[in-house]
Amino acid sequence: MNFFKTVKAAVNIATSATYEIDWTKPEVKEAAIIHWKEVKAAADPALPLASMRLTAEQNAALEKLLDNKGIFPDEPTEELLAGLPDAIPEASLNRIVGSIIHECLNNHKHTAVRASLIVVPAFAKYLRSVSSLHEAEPVWSAPQDTVCIHIQRGELVYLGLVSQEVPALEVLELLEGLVQALVEYIGHLSELTLKENFATVYQLLSEMVDSGSAVTTDTSVLRGLVPVPSLVDRVIENVSGIGIRSEKRPDVNTSSTPWRSQGIRHTNNEFFVDIIERIDATVGADGSVVSYDVSGDISCKSRLTGMPELLLVLNRAEAMDDVAFHPCVRTSKWHTERVIGFVPPDGQFKLASFHVATDAAPRLLPLRLYATVSRQSDQSHTIEISADAGQSGNRPVEKIQVRVPLPAQAYNIRVQCKAGTHTVSNVRLPQVEWSLKSLSATDRGARLTIQYQVRATGSVATGAPQLSPSPGSSQSALAAFVDFEVAGYSVSSIKVDSLKMLVESYKLFKGVRYVTKAGSFQLRF
């Protein structure tokens, strides 16, 4: 039997194409590891034939690598892969398994498997090394000439892997579009809901990305390609584990308005506008504003019959710059009249994103923060943070979260707060999180006091945990990271003046909502 296998291997070697493979390259070793079963299946029968052409020294080295078993092991070792080119000449190796390695290196499947086995674990290790996911770099250089670009939304991290020269903003925009599409199709996103709707997620990804290139992130276009799963489909999929696809594939819109299909009808004709603004600011310990910036999005939800054309007029359109519009917007009307004219997609979509001009944005802070840092000794530290409602148009500031990262050597942490709740965590690095449900102008200011000790470098204090200091770590806390939300308030004073509908003549119900949130908001000590 072994004789016939050897003869068959000889015929395969003689008739197969020869590829020049550099076995010293890391990617070649990766391909051999990932596809070791195919390599072993091709190489084992060819070993007797190959050994006939080897010198005595090469045969001895090969037997040592194979542990005198005459066949390759089931799992490759680093020693085996490093010593193989010395034991078997590269020309012979290329004739035996060169075609397999060549196919692997030029196969998208190899790239995907390499990403899942090597790059993703390395990225997960990097996330565990930072004190908080918020501090992780959005663009991270990964092993094997790969770049990891990610965003975090809620408890989930969405990761894009790049192996060629691609603008980082393009990948970030794709990830943002993926999140918006998943929210529209699935609703609340979590590890559980993604698993329960795996078939839908797979279909969306296959339509949004083709051979590594982004195709579309427009949910109105995706709805014409991937059917929105019904409740019955989800129940069947969860019970059977089999993805259900509709027998009738949705019609693809090829008209001049691909974001909106013909013949849309709704019983109640509604259009809702959300203007969501984010404040990126750095505040000093005395409450002074060090840096300040405002950006925002105009998000809409449309449930309109037919093919309406809308005109949205804003009161301070001149304050907006760097505006990016949805493809449905007629940009010529914006440039000439500062009016947003568009035929809306059906459902939820982002109409525009904008930046507020620096000279048009007064430095208003809905939440005033102050900090005092003191040292009782070289090892004993105290941080006091106070929060008051600021300029928020008489609206309460809600969902306040203050996160205070502490030094890696901190221990014996004691926290007091007269308002809200607090938690002390030490998952990556010690940190204190302070939560307040709301603060209004009539409320008394809230205060948080943190006392902790720092282990001196090279010594261990009594009762201190055995923590090794991280490179570049400070002996004292440097800043607090703040999150908050103010409903019904526009910090830039940009509001909707009017919303008019053309072409169609039915009655339109309109709604507008304003929200101001914290973006990258820091309180420096």
Side-chain angles (χ1 to χ4, degrees):
M1 186 69 178
N2 291 335
F3 171 75
F4 290 111
K5 288 184 177 180
T6 303
V7 173
K8 184 178 179 181
V11 173
N12 290 338
I13 293 173
T15 57
S16 61
T18 303
Y19 297 94
E20 296 297 328
I21 306 295
D22 186 356
W23 288 84
T24 61
K25 289 185 176 181
E27 57 266 27
V28 174
K29 294 181 180 180
E30 289 173 25
I33 293 172
I34 294 171
H35 299 274
W36 183 251
K37 287 184 179 180
E38 293 93 328
V39 172
K40 175 178 167 61
D44 279 350
L47 277 176
L49 186 65
S51 62
M52 295 172 61
R53 300 188 176 186
L54 302 181
T55 64
E57 293 80 5
Q58 290 174 333
N59 266 314
L62 180 60
E63 288 298 324
K64 183 179 180 181
L65 289 175
L66 301 180
D67 199 18
N68 296 318
K69 294 181 179 179
I71 59 173
F72 284 97
D74 293 333
E75 297 293 337
T77 62
E78 186 67 31
E79 181 184 1
L80 172 64
L81 295 175
L84 204 56
D86 296 329
I88 302 178
E90 281 195 358
S92 298
L93 271 178
N94 292 339
R95 281 195 295 269
I96 297 171
V97 294
S99 60
I100 298 174
I101 300 300
H102 181 268
E103 183 180 353
C104 295
L105 292 175
N106 292 275
N107 194 337
H108 292 296
K109 181 180 178 182
H110 165 71
T111 304
V113 174
R114 181 182 70 175
S116 63
L117 294 181
I118 299 174
V119 180
V120 173
F123 177 73
K125 183 178 179 181
Y126 163 69
L127 289 184
R128 290 192 294 269
S129 68
V130 298
S131 60
S132 171
L133 292 179
H134 298 282
E135 298 178 8
E137 294 291 337
V139 180
W140 180 70
S141 181
Q144 309 306 324
D145 298 325
T146 305
V147 175
C148 293
I149 302 177
H150 83 282
I151 61 174
Q152 181 191 1
R153 296 295 177 267
E155 299 178 354
L156 298 178
V157 174
Y158 302 84
L159 174 64
L161 302 182
V162 177
S163 57
Q164 298 178 358
E165 191 69 26
V166 175
L169 287 177
E170 181 179 327
V171 181
L172 291 171
E173 189 68 22
L174 172 63
L175 295 176
E176 288 284 359
L178 172 62
V179 174
Q180 293 176 14
L182 291 176
V183 168
E184 182 160 336
Y185 272 76
I186 299 174
H188 174 69
L189 297 181
S190 66
E191 182 180 359
L192 178 61
T193 56
L194 289 180
K195 288 180 178 179
E196 290 177 346
N197 296 273
F198 173 78
T200 300
V201 175
Y202 181 86
Q203 292 177 52
L204 284 172
L205 285 173
S206 65
E207 297 293 351
M208 297 174 73
V209 181
D210 185 15
S211 300
S213 299
V215 178
T216 182
T217 58
D218 193 339
T219 54
S220 57
V221 175
L222 290 171
R223 279 195 299 271
L225 300 171
V226 180
V228 179
S230 65
L231 179 60
V232 175
D233 291 344
R234 289 175 177 172
V235 171
I236 295 175
E237 183 179 340
N238 292 337
V239 173
S240 65
I242 302 174
I244 305 298
R245 291 189 67 117
S246 175
E247 293 293 332
K248 182 181 178 182
R249 188 174 180 84
D251 295 330
V252 179
N253 186 4
T254 58
S255 67
S256 59
T257 55
W259 55 86
R260 187 175 183 87
S261 304
Q262 299 285 341
I264 296 176
R265 298 190 64 83
H266 292 286
T267 304
N268 298 319
N269 292 284
E270 306 167 328
F271 193 86
F272 301 99
V273 180
D274 290 344
I275 297 183
I276 303 172
E277 297 178 331
R278 295 174 298 275
I279 301 176
D280 298 329
T282 302
V283 180
D286 59 352
S288 60
V289 180
V290 178
S291 65
Y292 188 88
D293 194 73
V294 177
S295 59
D297 296 325
I298 303 178
S299 299
C300 302
K301 182 176 182 180
S302 173
R303 293 176 57 85
L304 301 177
T305 300
M307 194 68 68
E309 182 172 349
L310 302 181
L311 289 179
L312 180 66
V313 181
L314 303 172
N315 66 333
R316 296 190 67 214
E318 71 283 353
M320 300 165 61
D321 60 10
D322 296 333
V323 185
F325 289 114
H326 188 279
C328 69
V329 175
R330 305 183 192 279
T331 54
S332 58
K333 207 167 190 64
W334 168 260
H335 293 311
T336 57
E337 304 176 31
R338 286 290 174 175
V339 174
I340 304 177
F342 59 102
V343 176
D346 193 48
Q348 290 184 330
F349 65 100
K350 184 166 71 173
L351 181 65
S353 60
F354 61 91
H355 175 264
V356 179
T358 305
D359 55 353
R363 297 190 167 193
L364 303 179
L365 294 179
L367 186 67
R368 289 196 297 262
L369 294 164
Y370 307 91
T372 303
V373 179
S374 59
R375 289 188 180 186
Q376 288 70 44
S377 64
D378 289 341
Q379 285 78 37
S380 185
H381 299 248
T382 300
I383 302 173
E384 292 186 357
I385 299 175
S386 60
D388 297 295
Q391 296 162 302
S392 58
N394 295 323
R395 300 278 184 172
V397 185
E398 302 174 322
K399 301 178 183 180
I400 302 171
Q401 299 278 344
V402 180
R403 182 173 57 87
V404 186
L406 299 177
Q409 301 89 349
Y411 70 99
N412 194 20
I413 302 170
R414 301 182 301 276
V415 182
Q416 293 180 341
C417 62
K418 295 183 178 180
T421 60
H422 73 272
T423 58
V424 179
S425 61
N426 196 9
V427 178
R428 293 180 173 85
L429 292 175
Q431 69 175 12
V432 177
E433 294 186 6
W434 183 28
S435 301
L436 292 166
K437 188 175 181 180
S438 67
L439 270 180
S440 62
T442 57
D443 295 333
R444 297 181 60 184
R447 184 178 296 271
L448 173 75
T449 303
I450 304 172
Q451 295 178 315
Y452 64 95
Q453 293 179 292
V454 177
R455 186 183 74 247
T457 304
S459 64
V460 179
T462 304
Q466 300 295 321
L467 297 175
S468 58
S470 58
S473 61
S474 173
Q475 293 293 316
S476 59
L478 301 177
F481 301 88
V482 185
D483 195 13
F484 59 82
E485 181 177 305
V486 185
Y489 173 66
S490 171
V491 68
S492 67
S493 299
I494 295 176
K495 296 186 177 182
V496 176
D497 258 357
S498 65
L499 177 63
K500 300 177 182 179
M501 182 175 64
L502 309 178
V503 182
E504 304 291 346
S505 58
Y506 50 77
K507 185 178 180 181
L508 170 64
F509 178 79
K510 299 170 284 188
V512 181
R513 182 174 62 173
Y514 305 97
V515 179
T516 295
K517 297 181 176 182
S520 176
F521 200 104
Q522 293 185 22
L523 171 63
R524 291 187 178 175
F525 301 148

